[in-house]
Amino acid sequence: MLYQNACIENAKETQDIRVENGLFAEIAPRIAPRENEEVKDLEGRLVLPPFIEPHVHLDATLTAGDPVWNMSGTLFEGIECWAKRKDKLNAEDVKERVRRAVKLYASNGVQFIRTHVDVTDPSLVALKAILDVREELRNLADIQIVAFPQEGILSFPNGKELMEEAVRLGADAVGAIPHFEFTREYGVESLNFACELAAKNGLLMDVHCDETDDDQSRGLETLATRALELGLKDKVTASHTCAMHSYSNAYVLKLMRLLKMSGINFVANPLVNTHLEGRADTYPKRRGVTRVKELSEAGINVAFGNDDLFDPWYPMGCGSMRDTVYLGLHVTQMMGYHDIMNSYRFVTENAAKVLHLGESYGIAEGRPASFAVLEAKDWYEALSNNAPVVLSVRKGEVIARTQPAVKQVLR
Ligand code: FE2
């Protein structure tokens, strides 16, 4: 199969792409078609590596309004709504919603998903269901699972044992939620426990870290220190780090040195954190999004996630990575030309580093032929116009296609 005239990652000159046996066999400015080879002319459309959702909660996905809507939109009312929905949670319910969510993602060119799954549940029903359903969805997406202790490790009965059981069952990454633990000391101990669990089992880590406006919430410094000392480094991701938005600049100056040394990754979730943070503020209201610009400028890897998809905590979402990038650039004031052009990396290459995808990802000869074709000439136009993913190709197979809308102005 030969794809002609692809604008690969905003390149000025188009390239042709030959796909063979599910791999990128050849990428060059002009490739002569072979006899009987199928040819598709992309006519200069943008081609990107598949989008990656590096942070979502698939166990709660697609439950907004069921059985009740979150009327205030706050985190706490979200928890109340979820408590009512949790009664109905069973394996088939979880699987059915995960299937729908993964198909939504697929239609938007997302082929890799990291989901946090709540393991503060003695039956681990959601974890078992998602471990099961991910096999059936392999043709559409790779799903990485984080054992996520929503109600804490030290602050929930048998929290440590549940984390260990989740790892034994097959979780890919270890989570924690230090800012939610009863005390600061529990927070530190939970991080020590989680880091050691990850190190012992050779797993990745992804911590809900300081998802609060409290400028005294300092799980991040402990996480980065342990990542450094245990040699976990870029296997570790700090998600949210909203408190960093509110830290004093003097403290951030000191912290940055450690963050650079530690090599850890960051995931910001601009849609959900602008919506949920700043709720204790009157005016001015904080945005709650971590210091993406400063972290990026320091050479630290940052990706963007959606966090929630139509659930009690976030009532919107269509499984596209575009909106989180679009809003993320606004709230972090990264709207310079180069910032905009390069911003697709937050949900492609940077997210691939978070997930440790290595050479199984990216547009290069010899790698799996997985990519998204967008109805735009470059990422600037795609982002600005909310261009659809017209083709999503996974290991050489077209797994989703969208017919762009035709708009007509009649007068
Ligand atoms: Fe989250």
Side-chain angles (χ1 to χ4, degrees), residues 52-101:
I52 299 171
E53 169 62 274
H55 189 126
V56 69
H57 296 254
L58 288 180
D59 47 354
T61 196
L62 303 176
T63 59
D66 177 13
V68 289
W69 288 98
N70 183 340
M71 302 306 269
S72 64
T74 60
L75 172 73
F76 292 104
E77 193 178 332
I79 293 169
E80 284 169 30
C81 296
W82 180 240
K84 294 188 178 106
R85 180 59 175 77
K86 236 174 158 173
D87 294 343
K88 286 205 278 179
L89 210 63
N90 63 56
E92 209 31 62
D93 159 52
V94 174
K95 288 184 194 178
E96 186 273 326
R97 287 184 289 103
V98 171
R99 284 183 199 113
R100 272 195 287 141

Side-chain angles (χ1 to χ4, degrees), residues 55 57 208 240 307:
H55 189 126
H57 296 254
H208 277 65
H240 296 291
D307 199 9

Side-chain angles (χ1 to χ4, degrees), residues 224-236:
T225 302
R226 294 293 174 270
L228 177 67
E229 290 173 350
L230 291 168
L232 292 167
K233 299 202 146 195
D234 67 352
K235 285 183 163 178
V236 173

Side-chain angles (χ1 to χ4, degrees), residues 203-359:
L203 297 179
L204 301 172
M205 275 193 86
D206 195 331
V207 173
H208 277 65
C209 199
D210 308 315
E211 189 182 2
T212 165
D213 296 313
D214 176 8
D215 65 347
Q216 298 305 306
S217 185
R218 298 198 169 173
L220 180 57
E221 62 181 20
T222 301
L223 179 64
T225 302
R226 294 293 174 270
L228 177 67
E229 290 173 350
L230 291 168
L232 292 167
K233 299 202 146 195
D234 67 352
K235 285 183 163 178
V236 173
T237 295
S239 280
H240 296 291
T241 61
C242 306
M244 197 180 184
H245 185 101
S246 298
Y247 290 163
S248 74
N249 290 339
Y251 174 64
V252 171
L253 212 58
K254 175 211 156 191
L255 181 65
M256 276 292 190
R257 174 174 174 268
L258 168 65
L259 297 179
K260 278 193 262 185
M261 286 165 71
S262 74
I264 67 171
N265 304 293
F266 285 74
V267 173
N269 298 294
L271 292 163
V272 167
N273 286 138
T274 49
H275 157 56
L276 291 179
E277 301 307 309
R279 292 283 180 149
D281 294 354
T282 51
Y283 286 95
K285 280 180 193 274
R286 285 169 286 181
R287 298 169 181 191
V289 175
T290 198
R291 301 190 188 204
V292 176
K293 188 174 186 154
E294 293 73 12
L295 289 165
S296 300
E297 282 169 0
I300 294 167
N301 186 47
V302 184
F304 283 170
N306 278 304
D307 199 9
D308 295 281
L309 185 64
F310 196 71
D311 68 16
W313 295 276
Y314 185 69
M316 295 197 178
C318 60
S320 164
M321 299 314 294
R322 180 262 183 186
D323 292 347
T324 188
V325 175
Y326 188 75
L327 182 74
L329 294 186
H330 286 76
V331 295
T332 59
Q333 297 182 330
M334 296 179 77
M335 297 287 275
Y337 178 78
H338 290 295
D339 288 335
I340 294 171
M341 275 297 250
N342 285 314
S343 61
Y344 70 91
R345 296 178 200 274
F346 286 122
V347 290
T348 57
E349 149 189 343
N350 297 9
K353 286 183 194 154
V354 169
L355 270 69
H356 269 237
L357 297 182
E359 301 210 338

Side-chain angles (χ1 to χ4, degrees), residues 132-144:
D132 227 21
V133 78
R134 77 165 161 183
E135 295 309 319
E136 139 192 354
L137 295 168
R138 280 218 185 274
N139 291 338
L140 294 178
D142 288 23
I143 300 174
Q144 223 174 59

